[in-house]
Amino acid sequence: MRREERRSVSKRAEALPRAAAVEEAQPCLPEACVCGVAVGYPLDTVKVRIQTEPKYTGIWHCIRDTYRQERVWGFYRGLSLPVCTVSLVSSVSFGTYRHCLAHICRFRYGSADAKPAKVDITLSGCASGLVRVFLTSPTEVAKVRLQTQSQTQRRRPSVSWSSAAPPLCPVTPAYSAPGPKYRGPLHCLATVAREEGLRGLYKGSSALLLREGHSFATYFLSYAILSEWLTPAGQSQPDVLGVLVAGGCAGVLAWAVATPMDVIKSRLQADGQGQQRYRGLLHCVVTSVREEGPRVLFKGLALNCCRAFPVNMVVFVAYEAVLRLTRGLLT
């Protein structure tokens, strides 16, 4: 009896540093996500424009047109808001996944440290994605509208004085082009809230719910399966190369299943800048498929996958590295 009590006490003692290590490692993830957002944002801008503007015939056409009209700055419009909010979103997302998984394991197996089944990981990942919607929907609306608004308007010409005219008679300019509707992320959020109300800030949230729910379930499940496959014999965790491959592939698979709803989400959110074309989620799907064919639902798939692999390699490698470092310091 005393030996069993000692073993249980030692297991609890080992579990405490492990839980503390997870808590300490949590802040490192936002830093990796900030780097991922900054690196992948130009591809995201091209992706959104391809999804929402039929005038682009391909990726290179969009890149050339954007660079010719707006130069490098055109690829980074609206970047500040995702960079400022990704820390909160990533912390809530991974924290929700971890806590849901711990509660499910405690409920089903009696211990939060029990090995979870695949269905447990899937449910926890789905819950993580659904929670993200309430935080990311307003920022997604602002990001998409800043990325897709026309930036080709000329600056408003200043009033000039003609030497031939009387001294107190300004020459009225013959043409005055209006500037962009949104001057920045905060101005965009304020304008949308004033013109469209709270519903405008959550426009496209139904498509976002469908996108985030099953994509994050796929994300965490595929990472867990690939990590288990890539773990060397005799070890409990994969090495750095295994984490790189598992994280990158998990991101690609998640975006592969998320792209159809990502297209619909982008079109619904960009629809408020002029005359509205879509009455809702189903109307947007039917109209888009009828006008452009089923391939429209996979616009931007290649860009999503190319962006997802390096970004999620960075995210998971940073997370696992700091997690292992903290575990080593606490044990």
Side-chain angles (χ1 to χ4, degrees):
M1 290 295 292
R2 291 181 179 178
R3 290 181 180 178
E4 293 179 356
E5 291 178 357
R6 289 175 182 175
R7 288 177 182 175
S8 62
V9 170
S10 64
K11 288 182 179 179
R12 292 175 184 173
E14 292 175 358
L16 289 175
R18 190 183 302 118
V22 173
E23 294 290 344
E24 293 292 333
Q26 195 69 23
C28 77
L29 182 63
E31 298 174 1
C33 291
V34 168
C35 296
V37 168
V39 170
Y41 197 82
L43 293 179
D44 183 74
T45 299
V46 176
K47 181 260 300 183
V48 170
R49 294 190 175 191
I50 288 175
Q51 290 176 340
T52 57
E53 300 181 27
K55 70 177 183 179
Y56 294 119
T57 58
I59 296 173
W60 292 112
H61 179 213
C62 181
I63 293 175
R64 287 196 303 268
D65 185 72
T66 302
Y67 181 77
R68 184 173 64 251
Q69 296 186 14
E70 307 171 45
R71 298 301 176 185
V72 176
W73 173 245
F75 296 97
Y76 289 93
R77 296 195 181 278
L79 173 63
S80 58
L81 193 58
V83 166
C84 293
T85 58
V86 69
S87 299
L88 174 64
V89 172
S90 59
S91 296
V92 171
S93 178
F94 275 76
T96 301
Y97 168 76
R98 182 170 53 83
H99 286 296
C100 284
L101 192 61
H103 284 297
I104 290 174
C105 290
R106 188 179 296 111
F107 176 76
R108 294 189 62 185
Y109 313 114
S111 173
D113 296 327
K115 183 179 179 179
K118 293 180 176 59
V119 65
D120 304 330
I121 299 174
T122 302
L123 292 174
S124 300
C126 184
S128 170
L130 296 179
V131 169
R132 286 173 59 95
V133 175
F134 300 99
L135 298 175
T136 59
S137 186
T139 60
E140 284 283 327
V141 170
K143 179 182 75 70
V144 168
R145 296 199 179 183
L146 287 169
Q147 288 174 327
T148 56
Q149 75 171 343
S150 175
Q151 301 291 338
T152 59
Q153 293 95 335
R154 289 174 289 179
R155 294 181 61 183
R156 187 184 300 273
S158 57
V159 176
S160 60
W161 297 83
S162 174
S163 58
L168 299 178
C169 296
V171 177
T172 304
Y175 175 75
S176 180
K181 181 177 181 180
Y182 306 117
R183 298 192 297 268
L186 295 180
H187 179 255
C188 180
L189 289 173
T191 303
V192 172
R194 183 176 64 252
E195 294 180 353
E196 306 174 40
L198 184 62
R199 293 183 61 183
L201 296 176
Y202 285 88
K203 194 168 188 177
S205 58
S206 56
L208 191 59
L209 276 170
L210 295 175
R211 188 192 79 172
E212 301 287 53
H214 67 282
S215 66
F216 269 84
T218 304
Y219 183 59
F220 286 107
L221 178 62
S222 57
Y223 178 75
I225 293 175
L226 291 170
S227 296
E228 187 176 352
W229 287 354
L230 297 172
T231 300
Q235 297 185 13
S236 60
Q237 295 176 339
D239 54 14
V240 176
L241 180 60
V243 175
L244 283 169
V245 174
C249 291
V252 170
L253 291 173
W255 273 109
V257 300
T259 297
M261 281 298 108
D262 185 53
V263 174
I264 303 303
K265 186 266 313 176
S266 296
R267 294 194 168 199
L268 288 172
Q269 291 177 337
D271 194 36
Q273 297 196 74
Q275 184 178 1
Q276 294 189 4
R277 294 188 57 200
Y278 308 116
R279 296 192 298 269
L281 174 65
L282 292 178
H283 183 249
C284 182
V285 173
V286 172
T287 304
S288 299
V289 173
R290 185 176 64 247
E291 293 179 353
E292 304 176 52
R295 294 181 61 182
V296 69
L297 298 177
F298 295 94
K299 276 190 171 184
L301 175 60
L303 284 172
N304 279 336
C305 293
C306 291
R307 180 171 57 100
F309 196 88
V311 167
N312 289 282
M313 282 197 311
V314 172
V315 169
F316 275 107
V317 165
Y319 183 75
E320 292 287 351
V322 178
L323 183 61
R324 293 177 188 182
L325 176 64
T326 335
R327 284 176 178 173
L329 293 175
L330 293 175
T331 53

PDB file of all heavy atoms in Angstrom, residues 292-316:
ATOM      1  N   GLU A 292     -19.470  31.036 -62.058  1.00  0.00           N
ATOM      2  CA  GLU A 292     -18.066  30.723 -62.317  1.00  0.00           C
ATOM      3  C   GLU A 292     -17.740  29.241 -62.256  1.00  0.00           C
ATOM      4  O   GLU A 292     -16.577  28.864 -62.463  1.00  0.00           O
ATOM      5  CB  GLU A 292     -17.182  31.483 -61.316  1.00  0.00           C
ATOM      6  CG  GLU A 292     -17.394  32.992 -61.333  1.00  0.00           C
ATOM      7  CD  GLU A 292     -16.597  33.706 -60.272  1.00  0.00           C
ATOM      8  OE1 GLU A 292     -15.374  33.482 -60.206  1.00  0.00           O
ATOM      9  OE2 GLU A 292     -17.190  34.487 -59.493  1.00  0.00           O
ATOM     10  N   GLY A 293     -18.740  28.406 -61.969  1.00  0.00           N
ATOM     11  CA  GLY A 293     -18.497  26.978 -61.923  1.00  0.00           C
ATOM     12  C   GLY A 293     -18.009  26.511 -60.560  1.00  0.00           C
ATOM     13  O   GLY A 293     -17.625  27.327 -59.709  1.00  0.00           O
ATOM     14  N   PRO A 294     -17.980  25.189 -60.329  1.00  0.00           N
ATOM     15  CA  PRO A 294     -17.553  24.666 -59.024  1.00  0.00           C
ATOM     16  C   PRO A 294     -16.107  24.992 -58.669  1.00  0.00           C
ATOM     17  O   PRO A 294     -15.750  25.001 -57.488  1.00  0.00           O
ATOM     18  CB  PRO A 294     -17.743  23.150 -59.178  1.00  0.00           C
ATOM     19  CG  PRO A 294     -18.705  22.983 -60.316  1.00  0.00           C
ATOM     20  CD  PRO A 294     -18.450  24.129 -61.224  1.00  0.00           C
ATOM     21  N   ARG A 295     -15.281  25.279 -59.674  1.00  0.00           N
ATOM     22  CA  ARG A 295     -13.883  25.585 -59.389  1.00  0.00           C
ATOM     23  C   ARG A 295     -13.728  26.862 -58.580  1.00  0.00           C
ATOM     24  O   ARG A 295     -12.675  27.086 -57.967  1.00  0.00           O
ATOM     25  CB  ARG A 295     -13.109  25.714 -60.701  1.00  0.00           C
ATOM     26  CG  ARG A 295     -12.999  24.416 -61.489  1.00  0.00           C
ATOM     27  CD  ARG A 295     -12.195  24.620 -62.756  1.00  0.00           C
ATOM     28  NE  ARG A 295     -10.836  25.056 -62.464  1.00  0.00           N
ATOM     29  CZ  ARG A 295      -9.940  25.344 -63.408  1.00  0.00           C
ATOM     30  NH1 ARG A 295     -10.279  25.273 -64.678  1.00  0.00           N
ATOM     31  NH2 ARG A 295      -8.723  25.726 -63.064  1.00  0.00           N
ATOM     32  N   VAL A 296     -14.748  27.707 -58.566  1.00  0.00           N
ATOM     33  CA  VAL A 296     -14.645  28.950 -57.813  1.00  0.00           C
ATOM     34  C   VAL A 296     -14.457  28.690 -56.327  1.00  0.00           C
ATOM     35  O   VAL A 296     -13.843  29.500 -55.617  1.00  0.00           O
ATOM     36  CB  VAL A 296     -15.900  29.821 -58.059  1.00  0.00           C
ATOM     37  CG1 VAL A 296     -17.133  29.184 -57.416  1.00  0.00           C
ATOM     38  CG2 VAL A 296     -15.704  31.230 -57.512  1.00  0.00           C
ATOM     39  N   LEU A 297     -14.975  27.568 -55.831  1.00  0.00           N
ATOM     40  CA  LEU A 297     -14.867  27.254 -54.412  1.00  0.00           C
ATOM     41  C   LEU A 297     -13.439  26.899 -53.996  1.00  0.00           C
ATOM     42  O   LEU A 297     -13.166  26.767 -52.795  1.00  0.00           O
ATOM     43  CB  LEU A 297     -15.810  26.107 -54.050  1.00  0.00           C
ATOM     44  CG  LEU A 297     -17.302  26.386 -54.254  1.00  0.00           C
ATOM     45  CD1 LEU A 297     -18.123  25.146 -53.929  1.00  0.00           C
ATOM     46  CD2 LEU A 297     -17.754  27.562 -53.395  1.00  0.00           C
ATOM     47  N   PHE A 298     -12.566  26.722 -54.976  1.00  0.00           N
ATOM     48  CA  PHE A 298     -11.174  26.360 -54.659  1.00  0.00           C
ATOM     49  C   PHE A 298     -10.201  27.437 -55.124  1.00  0.00           C
ATOM     50  O   PHE A 298      -9.010  27.166 -55.275  1.00  0.00           O
ATOM     51  CB  PHE A 298     -10.835  25.007 -55.295  1.00  0.00           C
ATOM     52  CG  PHE A 298     -11.643  23.874 -54.726  1.00  0.00           C
ATOM     53  CD1 PHE A 298     -12.814  23.475 -55.334  1.00  0.00           C
ATOM     54  CD2 PHE A 298     -11.254  23.242 -53.554  1.00  0.00           C
ATOM     55  CE1 PHE A 298     -13.579  22.444 -54.803  1.00  0.00           C
ATOM     56  CE2 PHE A 298     -12.010  22.218 -53.016  1.00  0.00           C
ATOM     57  CZ  PHE A 298     -13.178  21.811 -53.641  1.00  0.00           C
ATOM     58  N   LYS A 299     -10.712  28.645 -55.336  1.00  0.00           N
ATOM     59  CA  LYS A 299      -9.832  29.754 -55.656  1.00  0.00           C
ATOM     60  C   LYS A 299      -8.942  30.072 -54.450  1.00  0.00           C
ATOM     61  O   LYS A 299      -9.425  30.212 -53.335  1.00  0.00           O
ATOM     62  CB  LYS A 299     -10.645  31.000 -56.022  1.00  0.00           C
ATOM     63  CG  LYS A 299     -11.092  31.044 -57.468  1.00  0.00           C
ATOM     64  CD  LYS A 299     -11.685  32.401 -57.815  1.00  0.00           C
ATOM     65  CE  LYS A 299     -11.925  32.530 -59.303  1.00  0.00           C
ATOM     66  NZ  LYS A 299     -12.408  33.875 -59.680  1.00  0.00           N
ATOM     67  N   GLY A 300      -7.667  30.179 -54.716  1.00  0.00           N
ATOM     68  CA  GLY A 300      -6.728  30.474 -53.639  1.00  0.00           C
ATOM     69  C   GLY A 300      -6.234  29.258 -52.904  1.00  0.00           C
ATOM     70  O   GLY A 300      -5.492  29.401 -51.921  1.00  0.00           O
ATOM     71  N   LEU A 301      -6.609  28.045 -53.343  1.00  0.00           N
ATOM     72  CA  LEU A 301      -6.177  26.830 -52.636  1.00  0.00           C
ATOM     73  C   LEU A 301      -4.659  26.688 -52.657  1.00  0.00           C
ATOM     74  O   LEU A 301      -4.039  26.367 -51.630  1.00  0.00           O
ATOM     75  CB  LEU A 301      -6.835  25.605 -53.269  1.00  0.00           C
ATOM     76  CG  LEU A 301      -6.401  24.231 -52.720  1.00  0.00           C
ATOM     77  CD1 LEU A 301      -6.716  24.128 -51.236  1.00  0.00           C
ATOM     78  CD2 LEU A 301      -7.070  23.103 -53.494  1.00  0.00           C
ATOM     79  N   ALA A 302      -4.050  26.909 -53.830  1.00  0.00           N
ATOM     80  CA  ALA A 302      -2.594  26.781 -53.928  1.00  0.00           C
ATOM     81  C   ALA A 302      -1.887  27.786 -53.022  1.00  0.00           C
ATOM     82  O   ALA A 302      -0.909  27.451 -52.337  1.00  0.00           O
ATOM     83  CB  ALA A 302      -2.157  26.967 -55.379  1.00  0.00           C
ATOM     84  N   LEU A 303      -2.397  29.020 -52.998  1.00  0.00           N
ATOM     85  CA  LEU A 303      -1.790  30.036 -52.128  1.00  0.00           C
ATOM     86  C   LEU A 303      -1.962  29.691 -50.655  1.00  0.00           C
ATOM     87  O   LEU A 303      -1.045  29.880 -49.852  1.00  0.00           O
ATOM     88  CB  LEU A 303      -2.406  31.398 -52.427  1.00  0.00           C
ATOM     89  CG  LEU A 303      -1.941  32.091 -53.702  1.00  0.00           C
ATOM     90  CD1 LEU A 303      -2.778  33.330 -53.957  1.00  0.00           C
ATOM     91  CD2 LEU A 303      -0.473  32.454 -53.613  1.00  0.00           C
ATOM     92  N   ASN A 304      -3.138  29.199 -50.294  1.00  0.00           N
ATOM     93  CA  ASN A 304      -3.368  28.808 -48.896  1.00  0.00           C
ATOM     94  C   ASN A 304      -2.400  27.725 -48.463  1.00  0.00           C
ATOM     95  O   ASN A 304      -1.839  27.775 -47.363  1.00  0.00           O
ATOM     96  CB  ASN A 304      -4.804  28.321 -48.722  1.00  0.00           C
ATOM     97  CG  ASN A 304      -5.797  29.456 -48.573  1.00  0.00           C
ATOM     98  OD1 ASN A 304      -5.433  30.553 -48.158  1.00  0.00           O
ATOM     99  ND2 ASN A 304      -7.045  29.210 -48.916  1.00  0.00           N
ATOM    100  N   CYS A 305      -2.194  26.736 -49.319  1.00  0.00           N
ATOM    101  CA  CYS A 305      -1.307  25.620 -48.970  1.00  0.00           C
ATOM    102  C   CYS A 305       0.149  26.076 -48.918  1.00  0.00           C
ATOM    103  O   CYS A 305       0.899  25.677 -48.016  1.00  0.00           O
ATOM    104  CB  CYS A 305      -1.483  24.485 -49.971  1.00  0.00           C
ATOM    105  SG  CYS A 305      -3.104  23.689 -49.899  1.00  0.00           S
ATOM    106  N   CYS A 306       0.555  26.903 -49.892  1.00  0.00           N
ATOM    107  CA  CYS A 306       1.939  27.407 -49.892  1.00  0.00           C
ATOM    108  C   CYS A 306       2.219  28.261 -48.662  1.00  0.00           C
ATOM    109  O   CYS A 306       3.315  28.229 -48.099  1.00  0.00           O
ATOM    110  CB  CYS A 306       2.196  28.205 -51.160  1.00  0.00           C
ATOM    111  SG  CYS A 306       2.234  27.214 -52.672  1.00  0.00           S
ATOM    112  N   ARG A 307       1.236  29.028 -48.257  1.00  0.00           N
ATOM    113  CA  ARG A 307       1.408  29.884 -47.079  1.00  0.00           C
ATOM    114  C   ARG A 307       1.326  29.074 -45.791  1.00  0.00           C
ATOM    115  O   ARG A 307       2.025  29.368 -44.815  1.00  0.00           O
ATOM    116  CB  ARG A 307       0.335  30.978 -47.079  1.00  0.00           C
ATOM    117  CG  ARG A 307       0.384  31.939 -45.929  1.00  0.00           C
ATOM    118  CD  ARG A 307      -0.575  33.090 -46.166  1.00  0.00           C
ATOM    119  NE  ARG A 307      -1.927  32.619 -46.372  1.00  0.00           N
ATOM    120  CZ  ARG A 307      -2.874  32.624 -45.428  1.00  0.00           C
ATOM    121  NH1 ARG A 307      -2.582  33.072 -44.215  1.00  0.00           N
ATOM    122  NH2 ARG A 307      -4.084  32.210 -45.690  1.00  0.00           N
ATOM    123  N   ALA A 308       0.486  28.050 -45.766  1.00  0.00           N
ATOM    124  CA  ALA A 308       0.238  27.307 -44.532  1.00  0.00           C
ATOM    125  C   ALA A 308       1.441  26.470 -44.103  1.00  0.00           C
ATOM    126  O   ALA A 308       1.699  26.339 -42.900  1.00  0.00           O
ATOM    127  CB  ALA A 308      -0.978  26.399 -44.707  1.00  0.00           C
ATOM    128  N   PHE A 309       2.170  25.912 -45.068  1.00  0.00           N
ATOM    129  CA  PHE A 309       3.258  25.003 -44.682  1.00  0.00           C
ATOM    130  C   PHE A 309       4.353  25.709 -43.882  1.00  0.00           C
ATOM    131  O   PHE A 309       4.650  25.305 -42.751  1.00  0.00           O
ATOM    132  CB  PHE A 309       3.845  24.330 -45.927  1.00  0.00           C
ATOM    133  CG  PHE A 309       4.681  23.123 -45.610  1.00  0.00           C
ATOM    134  CD1 PHE A 309       4.107  21.874 -45.511  1.00  0.00           C
ATOM    135  CD2 PHE A 309       6.048  23.252 -45.389  1.00  0.00           C
ATOM    136  CE1 PHE A 309       4.877  20.762 -45.195  1.00  0.00           C
ATOM    137  CE2 PHE A 309       6.824  22.144 -45.077  1.00  0.00           C
ATOM    138  CZ  PHE A 309       6.234  20.895 -44.983  1.00  0.00           C
ATOM    139  N   PRO A 310       4.979  26.773 -44.388  1.00  0.00           N
ATOM    140  CA  PRO A 310       6.030  27.413 -43.586  1.00  0.00           C
ATOM    141  C   PRO A 310       5.509  28.092 -42.333  1.00  0.00           C
ATOM    142  O   PRO A 310       6.174  28.074 -41.285  1.00  0.00           O
ATOM    143  CB  PRO A 310       6.643  28.435 -44.555  1.00  0.00           C
ATOM    144  CG  PRO A 310       5.592  28.694 -45.558  1.00  0.00           C
ATOM    145  CD  PRO A 310       4.831  27.412 -45.715  1.00  0.00           C
ATOM    146  N   VAL A 311       4.309  28.695 -42.410  1.00  0.00           N
ATOM    147  CA  VAL A 311       3.771  29.397 -41.242  1.00  0.00           C
ATOM    148  C   VAL A 311       3.543  28.426 -40.086  1.00  0.00           C
ATOM    149  O   VAL A 311       3.936  28.696 -38.941  1.00  0.00           O
ATOM    150  CB  VAL A 311       2.466  30.130 -41.608  1.00  0.00           C
ATOM    151  CG1 VAL A 311       1.737  30.590 -40.348  1.00  0.00           C
ATOM    152  CG2 VAL A 311       2.762  31.319 -42.512  1.00  0.00           C
ATOM    153  N   ASN A 312       2.930  27.286 -40.364  1.00  0.00           N
ATOM    154  CA  ASN A 312       2.625  26.339 -39.291  1.00  0.00           C
ATOM    155  C   ASN A 312       3.844  25.539 -38.851  1.00  0.00           C
ATOM    156  O   ASN A 312       3.859  25.040 -37.721  1.00  0.00           O
ATOM    157  CB  ASN A 312       1.496  25.412 -39.737  1.00  0.00           C
ATOM    158  CG  ASN A 312       0.167  26.121 -39.800  1.00  0.00           C
ATOM    159  OD1 ASN A 312      -0.488  26.355 -38.791  1.00  0.00           O
ATOM    160  ND2 ASN A 312      -0.241  26.496 -41.011  1.00  0.00           N
ATOM    161  N   MET A 313       4.856  25.434 -39.701  1.00  0.00           N
ATOM    162  CA  MET A 313       6.124  24.884 -39.230  1.00  0.00           C
ATOM    163  C   MET A 313       6.702  25.772 -38.139  1.00  0.00           C
ATOM    164  O   MET A 313       7.137  25.290 -37.089  1.00  0.00           O
ATOM    165  CB  MET A 313       7.116  24.775 -40.397  1.00  0.00           C
ATOM    166  CG  MET A 313       6.894  23.611 -41.323  1.00  0.00           C
ATOM    167  SD  MET A 313       8.342  23.255 -42.355  1.00  0.00           S
ATOM    168  CE  MET A 313       8.723  24.879 -43.000  1.00  0.00           C
ATOM    169  N   VAL A 314       6.688  27.073 -38.377  1.00  0.00           N
ATOM    170  CA  VAL A 314       7.214  28.023 -37.395  1.00  0.00           C
ATOM    171  C   VAL A 314       6.406  27.974 -36.101  1.00  0.00           C
ATOM    172  O   VAL A 314       6.967  27.957 -35.003  1.00  0.00           O
ATOM    173  CB  VAL A 314       7.208  29.450 -37.982  1.00  0.00           C
ATOM    174  CG1 VAL A 314       7.564  30.481 -36.925  1.00  0.00           C
ATOM    175  CG2 VAL A 314       8.170  29.545 -39.153  1.00  0.00           C
ATOM    176  N   VAL A 315       5.084  27.918 -36.238  1.00  0.00           N
ATOM    177  CA  VAL A 315       4.214  27.920 -35.053  1.00  0.00           C
ATOM    178  C   VAL A 315       4.485  26.720 -34.172  1.00  0.00           C
ATOM    179  O   VAL A 315       4.726  26.840 -32.959  1.00  0.00           O
ATOM    180  CB  VAL A 315       2.736  27.969 -35.495  1.00  0.00           C
ATOM    181  CG1 VAL A 315       1.824  27.703 -34.298  1.00  0.00           C
ATOM    182  CG2 VAL A 315       2.397  29.312 -36.111  1.00  0.00           C
ATOM    183  N   PHE A 316       4.463  25.533 -34.745  1.00  0.00           N
ATOM    184  CA  PHE A 316       4.599  24.324 -33.928  1.00  0.00           C
ATOM    185  C   PHE A 316       6.029  24.096 -33.453  1.00  0.00           C
ATOM    186  O   PHE A 316       6.233  23.594 -32.340  1.00  0.00           O
ATOM    187  CB  PHE A 316       4.095  23.102 -34.716  1.00  0.00           C
ATOM    188  CG  PHE A 316       2.617  22.905 -34.621  1.00  0.00           C
ATOM    189  CD1 PHE A 316       1.798  23.184 -35.694  1.00  0.00           C
ATOM    190  CD2 PHE A 316       2.029  22.448 -33.456  1.00  0.00           C
ATOM    191  CE1 PHE A 316       0.428  23.005 -35.611  1.00  0.00           C
ATOM    192  CE2 PHE A 316       0.666  22.271 -33.351  1.00  0.00           C
ATOM    193  CZ  PHE A 316      -0.140  22.546 -34.441  1.00  0.00           C
TER     194      PHE A 316
END
